[in-house]
């Protein structure tokens, strides 16, 4: 094998050593060391004196650029030229021209001067580094590890022009610190710590504190956010402007203002300011601690936000009674809290309570919709259209607006999917919305714990004959909530559609175990088994079990309704379904669902005029838009029109 030389490697391994010796001979290493030390001293001096001299904020960056350019020039010059001890600047001779015996010897005095210069520079560096190296870190305890927001309140700037009001520079900040320190969500630096940093670094202020000084001060005490501000006017008519600033980049996060009288009502002014800031910061701290679905709420009160979080967590746990209690507390604290009112309506609906309370909360949320950012308002409008105005075109329009807005909220996408399915019958759009929830689960690496999502998703997939996917989603739901009866039921339905009798029997066994665990009655067992077959579109088996459920509990409204509906919709026995509807209405005359099935029965029996009267009455009694009822009314009107023609 022939070995060739690598052109990228030096031919002589000693060349690197020779280059190092040449750097030393030309005193480049010594120059670099002295230059680096001097540059450090210059940067520290500029950092100290720039606030006092009110130098522009870009001064430090400009000095750094100059020092970098100067470093390159210094290295080049030190390579080419040398300063002799005897005096004079001469060009350095190449190494091959210089013999050892001809190398000039440095004088003793030159060496002493060099050593003294080096020692002086070293001492200056140590003096400047002393506070950083040897002085204990008094602000270490302010670096929070519990997720709390760390806050520094800086002295306020006096812009009144009245020197007698200078004492309010520290007075306002001191009162704010006392107010904010009462929060369990905030870690607030004490005023003496702030003053210690300001004076310890020689950053003295008079009438005002520059943004750069404020940011550096907050950074030194590890405050993630700092508060600055100013006051202007006269003692009896003053405006206090407060700015919330990010310490990391100096960007303004939020600002607020209060007006009042510092002479007689200063406590009232500062309390208002403190409460406003504390609420804002506590809400931000809580947002960082909760999952993304709960963070975008837009309340005015941190206490209301806490109850709101409890309410939504209860919804996720399918505990709607607790959810309603918590959300009502949130609304009592903050009656402008739009999402507190909205999720109260949400909780009533998904708990199956279609009543006046649900309608009232929907109306209230609609009244408060302008408190939300524009992107969220179509969500409130959609609910108003679904349950109050019953305008199908508005429902469709607002659904499409929400779909295009693509807001990152699993609750929103879930509700949108259910609306497409239940109100519009658009199952393809519904599945796309459900898939958005799955995409957010992957993005946040956090499977949603709301089991209702997996149930509604599985049901929709069965409607469009996609049992394999329905089984997979139901399985995901069982991972979230092992042993959940609805998830097992959907898996059973999927296997029925797939014709897998062995798997059906296995899951029916699991379903029976759930019945045993919950002490379900025989009538309930038959009802849920019939529902499982109905989801699988096996109406014959569904009817068999529904009949048995009705036989076991013939006065039960649910047993009457589900059997009547199946018999009428499937047209297996419309007359029997009509008789069941009339029986149910004798027992429960205000039930609009039974009235709807009775009207449909008359329509299928060719009694269209009677059907129209009954269906219109059902429509008047219905809470919200009913897609099936609207479709039946349209069919009946067309049938009557055809008869007339």
């Amino acid at each position: 094998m022939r070995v060739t030389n690598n052109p990228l490697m030096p031919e002589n391994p000693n060349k690197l050593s020779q280059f190092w010796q040449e750097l030393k001979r030309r005193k480049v290493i010594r120059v670099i060391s002295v230059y680096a030390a001097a540059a450090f001293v210059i940067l520290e001096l500029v950092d100290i004196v720039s606030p006092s001299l009110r130098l522009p904020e870009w001064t430090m960056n400009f000095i750094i650029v100059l020092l970098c350019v100067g470093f390159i020039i210094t290295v080049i010059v030190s390579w080419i030229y040398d300063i002799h001890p005897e005096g004079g600047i001469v060009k350095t001779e190449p190494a091959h021209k210089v013999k050892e015996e001809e190398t000039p010897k440095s004088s003793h005095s030159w060496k002493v001067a060099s050593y003294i210069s080096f020692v002086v520079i070293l001492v200056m560096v140590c003096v400047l580094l002393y506070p950083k190296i040897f002085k204990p870190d008094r602000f270490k305890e302010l670096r929070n590890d519990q997720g709390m927001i760390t806050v520094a309140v800086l002295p306020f700037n006096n812009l009144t022009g009245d020197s007698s009001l200078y004492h309010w520079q520290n007075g306002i900040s001191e009162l704010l610190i006392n107010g904010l320190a009462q929060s369990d969500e905030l870690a607030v630096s004490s005023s003496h710590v702030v003053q210690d940093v300001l004076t310890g670094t020689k950053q003295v202020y008079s009438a005002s504190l520059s943004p750069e000084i404020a940011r550096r001060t907050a950074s030194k005490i590890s405050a993630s956010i700092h508060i600055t501000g100013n006051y202007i006017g006269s003692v009896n008519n003053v405006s206090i402007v407060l700015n919330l600033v990010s310490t990391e980049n100096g960007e303004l996060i939020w600002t607020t203002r209060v007006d009042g009288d510092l002479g007689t009502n200063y406590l009232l002014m500062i309390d208002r300011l403190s409460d406003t800031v504390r609420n804002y910061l506590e809400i931000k701290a809580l947002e960082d601690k909760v999952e993304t679905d709960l963070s975008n709420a837009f309340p005015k009160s941190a206490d209301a936000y806490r109850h709101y979080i409890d309410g939504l967590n209860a919804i996720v746990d399918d505990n709607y009674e607790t959810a309603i209690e918590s959300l009502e507390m949130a609304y009592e604290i903050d009656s402008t809290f739009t999402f507190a009112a909205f999720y109260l309506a949400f909780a009533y609906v998904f708990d199956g309570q279609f009543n006046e309370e649900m309608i009232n909360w929907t109306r209230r949320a609609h009244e408060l919709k302008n408190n939300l950012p524009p992107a969220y308002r179509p969500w409130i409008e959609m609910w108003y259209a679904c349950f109050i105005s019953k305008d199908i075109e508005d429902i469709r329009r607002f659904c499409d607006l929400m779909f295009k807005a693509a807001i990152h909220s699993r609750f929103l996408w879930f509700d949108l999917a259910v609306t497409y399915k239940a109100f519009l019958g658009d199952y393809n759009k519904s599945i796309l919305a459900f898939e958005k929830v799955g995409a957010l689960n992957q993005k946040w690496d956090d499977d949603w714990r709301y089991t209702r999502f997996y149930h509604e998703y599985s049901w929709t997939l069965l409607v469009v004959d996609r049992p394999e996917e329905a089984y997979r989603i139901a399985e995901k739901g069982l991972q979230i909530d092992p042993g959940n009866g609805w998830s097992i039921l959907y898996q059973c339905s999927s296997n029925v559609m797939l014709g897998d009798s062995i798997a059906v029997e296995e899951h029916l066994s699991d379903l029976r175990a759930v019945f045993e665990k919950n002490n379900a009655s025989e009538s309930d067992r038959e009802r849920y088994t019939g529902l499982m077959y109905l989801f699988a579109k096996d109406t014959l088996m569904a009817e068999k079990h529904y009949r048995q459920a009705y036989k076991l509990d013939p006065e039960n409204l649910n047993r009457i309704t589900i059997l009547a509906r199946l018999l009428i919709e499937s047209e297996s026995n419309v007359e029997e379904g009509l008789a069941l509807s009339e029986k149910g209405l004798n027992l429960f005359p205000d039930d609009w669902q039974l009235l709807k099935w009775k009207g449909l029965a008359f329509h299928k029996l060719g009694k269209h005029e009677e059907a129209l009267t009954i269906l219109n009455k059902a429509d008047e009694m219905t809470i919200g838009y009913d897609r099936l009822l609207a479709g039946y009314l349209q069919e009946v009107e067309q049938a009557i029109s055809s008869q007339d023609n």
Side-chain angles (χ1 to χ4, degrees):
M1 180 185 294
R2 182 181 178 185
V3 179
T4 59
N5 292 330
N6 188 342
L8 298 178
M9 296 296 292
E11 296 179 4
N12 188 346
N14 291 325
K15 279 196 171 184
L16 186 59
S17 176
Q18 291 173 5
F19 177 68
W20 176 254
Q21 293 299 326
E22 184 66 6
L23 286 175
K24 286 169 44 177
R25 183 182 75 83
R26 294 173 179 262
K27 303 182 181 66
V28 175
I29 303 299
R30 183 189 301 176
V31 171
I32 291 174
S33 301
V34 174
Y35 189 92
F40 177 80
V41 172
I42 292 169
L43 290 173
E44 286 293 320
L45 288 173
V46 171
D47 184 55
I48 292 172
V49 304
S50 59
S52 300
L53 298 177
R54 298 186 181 278
L55 297 176
E57 294 184 11
W58 49 262
T59 301
M60 180 63 74
N61 293 335
F62 179 68
I63 296 297
I64 291 172
V65 172
L66 285 181
L67 290 172
C68 290
V69 174
F71 175 78
I72 297 171
I73 295 173
T74 301
V75 171
I76 294 173
V77 171
S78 65
W79 175 271
I80 299 173
Y81 297 100
D82 188 17
I83 301 176
H84 276 217
E86 294 79 7
I89 299 176
V90 298
K91 188 173 181 179
T92 307
E93 293 288 342
H96 66 273
K97 292 186 178 181
V98 180
K99 297 180 181 179
E100 183 64 30
E101 63 272 17
E102 294 175 350
T103 302
K105 306 295 182 183
S106 299
S107 67
H108 179 69
S109 60
W110 175 256
K111 289 182 179 181
V112 171
S114 299
Y115 289 142
I116 291 174
S117 300
F118 179 75
V119 170
V120 169
I121 292 173
L122 181 63
V123 170
M124 291 180 68
V125 171
C126 290
V127 168
L128 292 169
L129 283 176
Y130 176 80
K132 297 181 176 63
I133 299 176
F134 302 104
K135 194 175 182 180
D137 186 1
R138 287 172 292 173
F139 315 117
K140 186 176 182 180
E141 66 273 9
L142 295 174
R143 296 171 188 153
N144 192 285
D145 295 325
Q146 284 78 44
M148 299 171 70
I149 292 181
T150 50
V151 184
V153 184
L154 281 298
F156 276 53
N157 296 330
N158 177 18
L159 302 183
T160 63
D162 186 349
S163 59
S164 66
L165 298 180
Y166 279 166
H167 65 280
W168 283 111
Q169 290 183 280
N170 291 316
I172 295 173
S173 59
E174 186 69 44
L175 291 170
L176 275 174
I177 289 170
N178 291 338
L180 297 178
Q182 299 174 22
S183 171
D184 294 332
E185 306 293 341
L186 309 177
V188 186
S189 304
S190 64
S191 58
H192 77 270
V193 171
V194 174
Q195 292 295 334
D196 195 10
V197 175
L198 285 169
T199 56
T201 56
K202 296 183 175 58
Q203 293 177 329
V204 182
Y205 61 93
S206 54
S208 63
L209 199 65
S210 72
E212 183 59 24
I213 295 175
R215 192 178 69 82
R216 289 185 202 168
T217 302
S219 179
K220 288 179 184 292
I221 56 179
S222 302
S224 59
I225 289 174
H226 61 277
I227 292 174
T228 64
N230 57 70
Y231 52 101
I232 190 169
S234 62
V235 66
N236 297 320
N237 185 20
V238 70
S239 295
I240 302 176
V241 178
L242 180 145
N243 301 317
L244 206 62
V245 184
S246 168
T247 301
E248 181 180 359
N249 53 31
E251 290 183 0
L252 180 65
I253 299 173
W254 178 73
T255 186
T256 188
R257 164 184 164 175
V258 295
D259 301 322
D261 184 350
L262 276 179
T264 58
N265 293 322
Y266 69 91
L267 284 178
L268 179 63
M269 283 187 68
I270 305 303
D271 284 347
R272 283 167 50 203
L273 192 62
S274 177
D275 290 345
T276 303
V277 176
R278 185 171 65 250
N279 270 322
Y280 179 87
L281 289 175
E282 284 184 346
I283 289 168
K284 291 301 178 186
L286 289 168
E287 285 177 351
D288 291 338
K289 293 180 180 180
V290 301
E291 59 179 284
T292 308
D293 289 295
L294 311 185
S295 60
N296 290 334
F298 317 105
K300 292 182 179 179
S301 164
D303 288 336
Y305 188 36
R306 289 187 183 92
H307 289 298
Y308 165 82
I309 292 170
D310 292 340
L312 262 65
N313 281 330
I315 288 176
V316 170
D317 293 335
D318 282 325
N319 188 345
Y320 294 100
E321 183 178 350
T322 300
I324 289 169
E325 290 177 2
S326 297
L327 290 166
E328 283 179 343
M329 285 189 214
Y331 181 79
E332 286 176 11
I333 295 169
D334 180 2
S335 59
T336 65
F337 193 173
T338 310
F339 270 141
F342 170 77
Y343 278 108
L344 273 163
F346 185 99
Y348 276 105
V349 166
F350 284 92
D351 193 35
Q353 300 186 53
F354 294 87
N355 52 31
E356 284 301 315
E357 283 293 310
M358 183 275 293
I359 291 295
N360 290 337
W361 286 118
T362 302
R363 288 186 188 279
R364 184 57 182 149
H366 190 259
E367 291 168 0
L368 298 171
K369 67 180 184 297
N370 289 334
N371 292 341
L372 298 177
Y376 287 88
R377 294 173 195 168
W379 195 3
I380 310 299
E381 295 284 9
M382 182 195 77
W383 270 64
Y384 189 86
C386 286
F387 295 107
I388 297 175
S389 68
K390 301 183 184 181
D391 189 324
I392 185 62
E393 294 304 320
D394 277 351
I395 296 173
R396 183 175 290 106
R397 179 163 60 90
F398 289 121
C399 279
D400 291 343
L401 283 174
M402 289 164 58
F403 201 97
K404 292 175 182 176
I407 296 173
H408 287 182
S409 167
R410 289 182 289 204
F411 269 113
L412 186 147
W413 282 113
F414 165 76
D415 190 42
L416 186 57
V418 171
T419 306
Y420 272 123
K421 170 182 67 115
F423 288 85
L424 299 176
D426 190 338
Y427 298 106
N428 291 327
K429 271 286 186 69
S430 176
I431 290 171
L432 288 175
F434 280 127
E435 288 173 349
K436 295 289 186 180
V437 178
L440 290 176
N441 286 346
Q442 290 185 344
K443 180 178 180 179
W444 296 332
D445 193 24
D446 171 33
D447 287 330
W448 204 15
R449 295 182 298 107
Y450 191 26
T451 54
R452 186 67 176 264
F453 157 68
Y454 302 96
H455 302 160
E456 297 283 353
Y457 194 0
S458 298
W459 185 91
T460 308
L461 289 167
L462 289 173
V463 171
V464 295
D465 299 322
R466 291 159 66 174
E468 297 93 341
E469 294 175 63
Y471 186 94
R472 177 179 58 82
I473 297 301
E475 181 65 28
K476 197 74 172 177
L478 285 171
Q479 293 172 10
I480 300 297
D481 184 14
N484 183 281
W486 282 103
S487 295
I488 295 171
L489 187 147
Y490 285 117
Q491 287 192 326
C492 284
S493 299
S494 300
N495 286 319
V496 170
M497 290 189 77
L498 291 168
D500 190 340
S501 57
I502 296 175
V504 169
E505 189 55 41
E506 289 177 356
H507 285 98
L508 277 175
S509 177
D510 294 336
L511 199 57
R512 294 186 193 106
V514 174
F515 294 153
E516 291 292 334
K517 181 180 177 180
N518 292 282
N519 297 317
S521 66
E522 286 299 320
S523 177
D524 274 330
R525 297 180 187 213
E526 292 295 334
R527 172 214 171 183
Y528 284 111
T529 305
L531 190 61
M532 180 268 292
Y533 281 108
L534 186 64
F535 288 154
K537 302 181 180 180
D538 187 339
T539 55
L540 292 178
M541 287 296 293
E543 181 181 333
K544 172 185 174 183
H545 288 281
Y546 279 171
R547 285 187 179 280
Q548 187 61 24
Y550 170 69
K551 181 179 179 181
L552 292 167
D553 194 356
E555 305 297 311
N556 185 293
L557 174 63
N558 174 269
R559 308 301 181 261
I560 295 171
T561 303
I562 58 175
L563 181 56
R565 175 180 181 177
L566 180 61
L567 293 173
I568 295 168
E569 280 193 317
S570 66
E571 298 184 4
S572 64
N573 196 327
V574 177
E575 290 85 353
E576 184 184 0
L578 175 59
L580 281 170
S581 298
E582 290 175 334
K583 174 187 175 179
L585 286 168
N586 288 331
L587 295 171
F588 308 97
D590 295 329
D591 190 87
W592 60 271
Q593 291 278 13
L594 281 172
L595 203 60
K596 176 172 66 176
W597 305 129
K598 179 181 177 180
L600 179 62
F602 273 108
H603 169 54
K604 289 185 177 291
L605 293 172
K607 301 177 180 180
H608 306 306
E609 295 289 348
E610 295 93 328
L612 183 61
T613 301
I614 294 169
L615 291 174
N616 277 325
K617 185 178 179 181
D619 188 40
E620 292 174 3
M621 297 170 62
T622 302
I623 293 179
Y625 177 79
D626 187 313
R627 177 175 59 87
L628 292 177
L629 179 55
Y632 298 151
L633 277 167
Q634 187 176 10
E635 286 181 21
V636 171
E637 288 171 352
Q638 289 175 349
I640 293 173
S641 178
S642 298
Q643 279 183 340
D644 293 341
N645 291 334

